[in-house]
């Protein structure tokens, strides 16, 4: 079939919306009609050419939601008409990681996905007979996509897909960092560095876990107001004095849980230093620049601070994205404030410009009827 | 009373064994007749003058074991004749840290101890009427010491004190890192970097936890042989290729648990890189040089590795040192191979020379009859 899609033709150049060929789903794959797709930093990062593992041409986009149109041979977990959220972090339910409660990093299709292929090592996308590679196993800046069954979370049809799409990446990443990776305890003091999509999700996650005090730190007053709406009890400017202030307001101890959601290694350092002596846990969510390191004074570790990272919030996608969407439907998570712009696929480059300008939290592409 | 003790008079100079005055125990304090004391790197580190928090004159020594001679007012947990192990890391059983299962860092007397004083802000040691400060709340390079009740673990009288003393620091630090901080799981693959007292203790701790594979890494073949005796299944030279080798022997994943017991930040880095994708935990036990940092590539965290530190092995001293000594008495821990030299208090400087030359694991000072 023919699909309109936004193609990264060359790094650091605008994406080009055009018509491509999309082949039928192979066994274990599913054809999705996309309805909505969030535009995430990772898309822009790859488009910039800075990501050393990036490639072009490819169809970007990985924060998608849509409706199943048809399924390939052997697909049993979703059927035509189901509402689904795409999972760049799949869940095969069979590999040693999926069988362990300790990690969500499914191993099933990792290698082929990283190379831009579907699990069988080929692509469904092509142009004039030349294969076009997929991106993060999803490629949802498009009207349709063929996606492995294990990379789709079936969600309640009651959830509007233009909001459910945020659970495909940013929102789940933040929520999960607090709920699944750090497993914030009731009554805890938390500090969230960064009030973008991930940081705001982490604020909401801390609230859902019953944290008593949730401090959110950002440069932008507007974003801090959004953080307050998600449950932050304290909103502080990122003024370079955050560590001192956390220590002085916690009797010198630091916070039980800290979250870094900026991708800046200097902020990761602040998050480590703000974590509590004895048991403070710093969870790194942001993706740092190439070659950058988080430099930790070992004394901070010896005196009880711990450092971990979170990928897709530790969320096991097929099991837990539907649960998170359910909590949204129950009113536990306020998704609307995250959507700052809506636009058609054709305006994808404007979405990147808005992101570069830090204008708003999320642009959502409206892809279908 | 008069006591012979080894005094650090000036940094980077030999200790001077001499007679000092020791006052009676104040309320909450205990007079101990020392029987044996291990010589630990921290003693030498302070003696060198490199430790910025060090001071002189002071009586060094913190790995002591002895017999209670008398108790001050209000002391109820030990009595004359009890066998005790000294605790530089005390356990008051009342502070918020002691009441939490998450940390062993008792807060009760921390500040005064760090300044060289007993809990009331004064010293029991003096010379010609001039106070001499205590060291790590213990000062056990001496025939007698006055020590806070909360800094003494009462151990079985069946345990020879010249072996029990190792539980006062190095051995418990290593055992506890595996047993209490990392809580190594049955069947795990572990890598221990460094086969000094702490590393060898960590090897033994991994074995007691039921680890399936215990890789120990050191420069010294002799130390690696001791590691094998403690339960290491694999003994590897520290040849700069350890990370690659760990990855290649674990299908590219890394080890479930890694332990750093060298104090070298480069080795801490290897320990992080050797930890398993998904859930590998790196436990830092060594004390790094001043101003040095452990530089971590954030991607290692995002893909599931975690980093923590361990002080005194996470051991809550009064509760758990007696339990560890019990396991020694039951034959679970082979302490004898750790004791490489025995000598009288007068030879303390030779013990430092042996340590500097990396000759043996532990020198034990034989202090009393």
């Amino acid at each position: 079939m023919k699909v309109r899609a936004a193609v990264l033709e060359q790094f650091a150049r605008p994406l080009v919306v055009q018509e491509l060929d999309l082949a039928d789903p192979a066994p274990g794959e599913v054809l999705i009609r996309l309805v909505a797709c969030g535009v995430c930093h990772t898309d822009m990062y790859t488009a910039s050419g800075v990501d050393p593992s990036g490639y072009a041409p490819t169809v970007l986009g990985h924060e998608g939601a849509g409706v199943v149109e048809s399924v390939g041979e052997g697909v049993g977990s979703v059927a035509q008409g189901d509402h689904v959220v795409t999972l760049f972090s799949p869940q095969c339910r069979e590999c040693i990681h999926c069988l362990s409660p300790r990690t969500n990093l499914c191993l099933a299709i990792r290698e082929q996905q990283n190379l831009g292929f579907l699990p069988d090592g080929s692509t469904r996308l092509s142009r004039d007979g030349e294969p076009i590679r997929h991106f993060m196993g999803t490629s949802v800046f498009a009207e349709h996509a063929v996606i492995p069954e294990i990379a789709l979370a079936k969600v309640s049809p009651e959830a509007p897909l233009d909001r459910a799409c945020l659970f495909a990446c940013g929102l789940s990443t933040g929520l999960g960092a607090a709920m699944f990776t750090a497993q914030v305890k009731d009554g805890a003091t938390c500090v969230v560095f960064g009030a973008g999509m991930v940081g705001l999700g982490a604020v909401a996650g801390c609230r859902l876990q019953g944290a008593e005090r949730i401090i959110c730190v950002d440069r932008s007053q507007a974003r801090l107001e959004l953080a307050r709406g998600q449950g932050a009890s304290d909103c502080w400017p990122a003024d370079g004095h955050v560590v001192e202030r956390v220590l002085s307001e916690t009797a010198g101890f630091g916070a039980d849980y800290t979250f870094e959601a900026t991708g800046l290694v200097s902020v990761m350092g602040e998050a480590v230093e703000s974590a509590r002596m004895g048991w403070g846990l710093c969870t790194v969510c942001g993706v740092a620049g190439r070659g950058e390191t988080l430099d930790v004074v070992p004394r901070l570790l010896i005196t009880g601070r711990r450092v971990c990272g979170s990928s897709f919030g530790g969320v096991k996608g097929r099991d837990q994205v539907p649960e998170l969407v359910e909590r949204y439907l129950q009113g536990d998570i306020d998704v609307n404030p995250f959507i700052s712009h809506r636009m058609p696929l054709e305006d994808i480059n404007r979405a990147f410009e808005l992101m570069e300008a830090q204008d708003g939290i999320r642009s959502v592409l409206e892809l279908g009827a």
Side-chain angles (χ1 to χ4, degrees), chain A:
Chain A
M1 70 187 291
K2 298 284 182 190
V3 292
R4 288 190 68 72
V7 180
L8 171 67
E9 298 279 7
Q10 280 190 286
F11 294 128
R13 293 287 185 83
L15 304 192
V16 182
V17 178
Q18 59 196 271
E19 204 169 74
L20 299 179
D21 293 302
L22 182 66
D24 288 340
E29 297 173 358
V30 179
L31 173 67
I32 307 298
R33 174 174 58 82
L34 275 311
V35 172
C37 179
V39 180
C40 171
H41 277 88
T42 311
D43 299 308
M44 195 167 74
Y45 180 58
T46 297
S48 73
V50 175
D51 179 0
S53 63
Y55 44 81
T58 185
V59 175
L60 295 179
H62 64 284
E63 203 173 83
V67 180
V68 173
E69 290 231 319
S70 69
V71 303
E73 199 184 309
V75 169
S77 65
V78 294
Q80 197 184 349
D82 282 347
H83 285 206
V84 289
V85 163
T86 64
L87 300 173
F88 72 87
S89 182
Q91 184 190 0
C92 73
R93 295 179 171 147
E94 289 173 4
C95 73
I96 49 170
H97 282 189
C98 280
L99 294 176
S100 167
R102 294 182 284 180
T103 180
N104 65 333
L105 301 173
C106 175
L107 298 167
I109 61 174
R110 202 171 179 86
E111 281 177 34
Q112 292 299 335
Q113 177 173 319
N114 287 344
L115 296 171
F117 300 116
L118 291 186
D120 71 355
S122 66
T123 80
R124 300 300 154 262
L125 289 162
S126 62
R127 176 170 59 189
D128 305 328
E130 287 295 314
I132 301 266
R133 283 196 268 176
H134 299 245
F135 173 68
M136 293 176 79
T138 46
S139 287
V140 287
F141 288 168
E143 293 167 327
H144 287 82
V146 170
I147 294 180
E149 174 184 18
I150 64 170
L152 293 170
K154 178 178 165 180
V155 298
S156 167
E158 290 172 36
L161 290 166
D162 62 349
R163 269 143 282 187
C165 68
L166 301 188
F167 290 90
C169 180
L171 181 50
S172 294
T173 297
L175 286 165
M179 298 170 71
F180 306 124
T181 302
Q183 299 179 30
V184 167
K185 298 280 179 304
D186 200 40
T189 294
C190 304
V191 185
V192 177
F193 289 84
M197 182 72 262
V198 174
L200 292 169
V203 167
C206 290
R207 171 177 53 77
L208 292 174
Q209 293 292 107
E212 184 176 310
R213 188 170 185 191
I214 304 169
I215 299 163
C216 189
V217 180
D218 201 283
R219 284 187 193 149
S220 153
Q221 195 53 43
R223 290 182 170 214
L224 287 176
E225 271 158 39
L226 291 173
R228 196 171 292 282
Q230 294 299 324
S233 55
D234 301 71
C235 295
W236 295 356
D239 61 2
H241 299 286
V242 173
V243 175
E244 301 156 43
R245 196 166 166 193
V246 171
L247 294 177
S248 86
E249 299 206 7
T250 55
F253 286 118
D256 301 306
Y257 302 91
T258 65
F259 298 89
E260 178 284 327
T262 68
L264 302 171
V265 290
S266 62
V267 176
M268 294 178 192
E270 290 184 86
V272 174
E273 289 181 57
S274 300
R276 194 189 188 289
M277 170 195 179
W279 58 69
L281 176 64
C282 168
T283 302
V284 171
C285 304
V287 174
R290 190 183 183 185
E292 293 182 331
T293 58
L294 163 58
D295 301 345
V296 180
V297 177
R299 179 181 44 77
L300 296 172
L301 302 172
I302 295 289
T303 49
R305 294 161 195 84
R306 298 169 296 150
V307 187
C308 69
S310 182
S311 170
F312 191 47
V315 173
K316 287 183 182 273
R318 290 163 82 193
D319 293 342
Q320 296 178 311
V321 162
E323 294 169 13
L324 292 175
V325 169
E326 208 52 54
R327 295 203 73 164
Y328 153 61
L329 289 173
Q330 288 162 9
D332 289 340
I333 304 165
D334 186 12
V335 174
N336 294 338
F338 302 133
I339 302 173
S340 25
H341 305 278
R342 293 167 178 278
M343 58 195 71
L345 179 63
E346 278 63 28
D347 290 354
I348 174 63
N349 293 304
R350 188 162 76 83
F352 280 171
E353 287 162 21
L354 290 165
M355 185 180 286
E356 196 112 49
Q358 301 215 358
D359 180 334
I361 300 298
R362 263 300 186 266
S363 293
V364 169
L365 301 178
E366 295 178 321
L367 296 164

